[in-house]
Amino acid sequence: MPRVAVVDADTPFRERLREGFGYPLRGGALATCAALALAHYVALLPAFVGLLGGALVWTATWRYAADCMRHTAHGYAEPPDVGVDGNDAAGWALTAIHLLAAASGVLAIVFFPALLWPVIVLFALILPAVDMTLAFDANLALALNPMHLARVMAGFGGAYLVPVAINLLLGALVVLASVATAALPRLLAVPLFAFAYTYLVILAFHLMGGMLQQRREHFGIEAQAEALANAAGQDADSRLAAQASELAAEDPQAALRLLAGRLQDRAAPPLLHETYRALLRRQGLREGLLVHGQIWIAALVAGNETAKALRLVQECSELDPAFLPDDPGNAATLAELAARQGMNRMAARLCRGFVKAWPRDARSPQCALLGARLLGGPLGQPAEALVLLGRMGTLPADHPLRSDFEALAAQLRQPAGAA
């Protein structure tokens, strides 16, 4: 059974907010944002066809947002796949209620300007409760029942102002996005605006889902993700980490052996890796930390968690300045990532280590060029940059990077201050 990524219900909202910005850009959510952004081109079709197509696209948007809210409320860390747990009725109901909110605002602007702000405040206050109700029950009559909305609001207490603020911010960002794209050609503005709006809707519903998870007992929400994780035996990992920590007080080596076998599996959770490294540090086992670093870096890169892998490279480099991931593909990937993130010294060191370890690898010229640019530029070491380029010798005449090598070498040989 595939590993189920679970979020603890007690995760602080500040942490959820920080992590939440990346939620719409992962897995099924990213695919949905991209697909719906392109689907909004249907609004450019003539008259009725464009209106109907636009309504269908918005329905799909709200339906997926509702999926994300339920998914998060049930404890899942990752976005749902498209169509896995969709509810068409929820999509239509959410579309209707948000069209009603927009229409009310337009009517207030045109006919009753003095009522505009009361209308905005009213919908800002009730929309989170309405959205939550429709996402779970798809019942428009229930979602418009004042008694039911009051019960939902009471379930959050003062924290209910958080989703209210999220909705107000969402509205402001949508206005800003529409203004920013107004100056662009319509064929470009349509998908850009649609992607931004879809991203913001998914983010808002994901954060509201997290608040529902924190109060799941009050709202009668089952912890589906936790149940699946338990069924897959993932809770055994937590028990194993606790057992190893207790055993370490009496027999540190036995505690390490207890964890070692499980860590060979790339699906091992961070908790076990962190427990293992803590035990190694406690015993001062520098070589063990470096060996484990190689294993965990490979697992992190394979899981597309390159930022964490880069932090681990930094940690291992502090133990051994010559440390280099033992897989050339991983080393090249992390060198490029370090350069993009402004970690110039680490990127240059990885590039130099790559060229020294794998001079005949097809990626060596690219690594040498990247390292030389960093050494000769922000790091101010032109002589070292020339040495790194020289390690590659003379590239074949038909090599795609030969002209870049020659141009950079000529630039580096210029006297300081020369044009």
Side-chain angles (χ1 to χ4, degrees), residues 158-194:
Y160 182 76
L161 293 178
V162 173
V164 170
I166 290 172
N167 270 12
L168 286 172
L169 181 60
L170 172 62
L173 291 174
V174 167
V175 172
L176 289 174
S178 63
V179 171
T181 56
L184 299 174
R186 198 172 182 195
L187 286 177
L188 180 60
V190 167
L192 287 178
F193 176 78

Side-chain angles (χ1 to χ4, degrees), residues 3 237 262-273 296 299:
R3 181 172 180 79
D237 290 331
R262 177 70 179 93
L263 292 178
Q264 298 300 320
D265 184 352
R266 284 188 172 181
L271 173 63
L272 292 184
H273 286 285
W296 198 9

Side-chain angles (χ1 to χ4, degrees), residues 115-186:
L115 294 179
L116 177 59
W117 280 109
V119 167
I120 291 175
V121 171
L122 173 64
F123 277 103
L125 287 173
I126 68 170
L127 271 179
V130 171
D131 290 339
M132 294 175 193
T133 301
L134 292 178
F136 279 87
D137 299 305
N139 186 328
L140 193 55
L142 181 64
L144 296 177
N145 184 328
M147 297 298 294
H148 174 76
L149 296 181
R151 285 194 294 271
V152 173
M153 295 177 188
F156 287 96
Y160 182 76
L161 293 178
V162 173
V164 170
I166 290 172
N167 270 12
L168 286 172
L169 181 60
L170 172 62
L173 291 174
V174 167
V175 172
L176 289 174
S178 63
V179 171
T181 56
L184 299 174
R186 198 172 182 195

Side-chain angles (χ1 to χ4, degrees), residues 296-335:
W296 198 9
I297 288 168
L300 289 170
V301 174
N304 201 31
E305 296 183 82
T306 49
K308 290 183 180 179
L310 202 55
R311 288 196 292 272
L312 188 56
V313 170
Q314 179 66 43
E315 181 184 323
C316 291
S317 298
E318 292 171 359
L319 297 171
D320 178 8
F323 179 85
L324 184 72
D326 56 9
D327 179 88
N330 293 343
T333 296
L334 294 173

